[in-house]
Amino acid sequence: MGGFLGFVYRQWTIKPKPLPSALSLSGKTALITGANSGLGFEAARELMSRKISRLIIAVRDVSKGEAAKKELSSSQGGDTCEIEVWPLDHESYQSIAELGKRTAKLDRLDYALLNAGVKMMSYKKSALGHETNVQINHIGTSAVSLAILPALKHTAQRYNTPSRLIIVSSEGHFWIPFKERSAGKILAKMDEEETFGTQQQRYYTSKLLNVLWTRELASKVDKEEVVVNTVNPGFCYSGLHRHSASVINVFLWLFAWTPEQGGRCLTDALVKHEDSHGQYLSDQRQTPPSSFVLSSDGEKAQKKIWDETIALLKDEAIGLDTSVVT
């Protein structure tokens, strides 16, 4: 798992399957971040086809979210699903805190799919001063997971069944050296431009942080309340690649799955695998993450990333309650 030849083999031979046609999600509520396009949009469409009752699209650009809502409304299930568009900016802790407050007012939140992300190919600081891939893919996503956790727990307690929290990662977490792990402060080191690396290294490192965060979060959450996993959706046609070099188009032509197929991987992780917790899901099954993640060095990095992220959020994210897991 994780090598280039294995990647090619899987992309060419595996065809992600849709959720069982007999499955009904009637009465359930799902929240998907970054669902205005690409894989998140296709995941939303499939949940609607399985009769989900309420779908919350949390997006940075509300106008794009409304356009997605209009298109989704014409999909199968659009006549029975209540679709809401909520603003969410991973570069604003106030926005993330407001999302948490809104979820707390819901009668239920059964599924949360944290899909929003970016793949920046050159160094750029976010509005909050951190490198953009790290801010949006790791810090922002981690903050969102904490903000919505109380609503997920409340739903589980009220309906006596675990809710689900899925963070989207990438197979790319296998492919990076993660030299920053030896720094005194890993996240601060990753803010330095000279550590950015080449090509997709920083993006893949942010996806490794997703895996490490998910594993540590799962260790602090009762799986009888919230099942927490991370998922690799596969290499798919998506707007995620818009900042990539033109050669990516060759790889997309040769190997990529469709957005619909990638969306199936997301919904599979969100709805199935009830007995998993803190796991890495890929190709619609539970598989081991990278050897580094499973190593003693990986375990140390996992706890260090957790501690640093919690400390950063306590310092920067005024209004966000981190005590839900500490």
Side-chain angles (χ1 to χ4, degrees):
M1 180 69 183
F4 180 73
L5 291 180
F7 159 78
V8 170
Y9 176 79
R10 291 190 302 279
Q11 288 290 138
W12 277 351
T13 61
I14 294 175
K15 302 301 179 187
K17 299 177 181 178
L19 293 171
S21 58
L23 175 69
S24 174
L25 301 176
S26 179
K28 302 293 182 67
T29 296
L31 180 148
I32 306 178
T33 67
N36 59 283
S37 64
L39 278 59
F41 178 86
E42 294 300 334
R45 194 201 299 270
E46 185 173 21
L47 293 182
M48 289 177 60
S49 73
R50 298 306 184 267
K51 298 182 173 58
I52 193 94
S53 292
R54 178 189 285 168
L55 178 64
I56 300 166
I57 302 172
V59 294
R60 181 170 186 167
D61 188 328
V62 173
S63 64
K64 291 182 179 179
E66 291 292 346
K69 173 182 176 179
K70 183 177 180 180
E71 185 173 352
L72 286 169
S73 296
S74 64
S75 302
Q76 182 182 358
D79 55 340
T80 58
C81 178
E82 178 185 353
I83 306 173
E84 300 180 20
V85 179
W86 291 8
L88 175 62
D89 184 353
H90 281 53
E91 294 185 86
S92 166
Y93 295 126
Q94 180 179 355
S95 175
I96 294 170
E98 287 299 321
L99 178 84
K101 292 175 183 177
R102 290 188 74 172
T103 60
K105 296 177 181 178
L106 294 171
D107 60 333
R108 66 188 302 162
L109 179 60
D110 303 273
Y111 304 108
L113 176 61
L114 305 192
N115 164 75
V118 296
K119 184 172 74 171
M120 302 299 293
M121 303 295 286
S122 58
Y123 180 85
K124 180 182 178 182
K125 280 192 173 183
S126 72
L128 294 171
H130 302 291
E131 191 277 319
T132 302
N133 289 282
V134 174
Q135 174 62 50
I136 294 178
N137 298 346
H138 168 62
I139 300 173
T141 295
S142 300
V144 171
S145 71
L146 298 180
I148 65 176
L149 192 57
L152 292 166
K153 287 184 174 182
H154 176 72
T155 299
Q157 294 163 359
R158 182 176 182 180
Y159 295 100
N160 197 32
T161 186
S163 50
R164 308 295 294 272
L165 172 60
I166 303 297
I167 295 177
V168 178
S169 182
S170 167
E171 184 174 358
H173 86 273
F174 282 84
W175 303 339
I176 42 89
F178 194 32
K179 296 178 181 179
E180 299 90 347
R181 71 180 184 271
S182 61
K185 293 186 176 181
I186 297 173
L187 296 179
K189 190 68 174 178
M190 294 178 75
D191 283 339
E192 298 175 6
E193 186 171 358
E194 55 268 27
T195 69
F196 187 80
T198 58
Q199 299 299 318
Q200 302 181 103
Q201 286 182 346
R202 176 48 58 84
Y203 168 72
Y204 288 150
T205 303
S206 72
K207 296 286 100 179
L208 171 61
L209 298 184
N210 287 153
V211 175
L212 298 177
W213 174 267
T214 298
R215 288 169 65 86
E216 191 65 16
L217 177 62
S219 74
K220 300 177 183 300
V221 175
D222 185 348
K223 67 179 181 180
E224 298 303 318
E225 290 189 328
V226 186
V227 173
V228 182
N229 289 316
T230 185
V231 61
N232 163 41
F235 181 60
C236 307
Y237 284 98
S238 168
L240 180 69
H241 307 295
R242 61 186 178 277
H243 298 296
S244 301
S246 58
V247 68
I248 194 69
N249 293 321
V250 177
F251 280 87
L252 289 168
W253 179 73
L254 286 171
F255 307 123
W257 291 339
T258 66
E260 181 181 20
Q261 289 173 318
R264 290 173 179 174
C265 292
L266 301 186
T267 54
D268 173 88
L270 190 64
V271 175
K272 300 172 70 176
H273 311 281
E274 295 87 351
D275 296 328
S276 61
H277 189 57
Q279 300 302 312
Y280 173 72
L281 306 173
S282 184
D283 307 326
Q284 298 187 313
R285 61 190 179 92
Q286 183 178 317
T287 64
S290 72
S291 58
F292 168 74
V293 170
L294 297 175
S295 70
S296 59
D297 284 344
E299 185 176 356
K300 292 176 184 176
Q302 175 178 311
K303 295 184 181 303
K304 188 171 174 55
I305 286 296
W306 175 269
D307 290 342
E308 287 190 20
T309 305
I310 292 294
L312 183 152
L313 293 175
K314 284 182 177 179
D315 182 53
E316 296 185 3
I318 306 302
L320 180 68
D321 183 9
T322 61
S323 67
V324 291
V325 287
T326 56

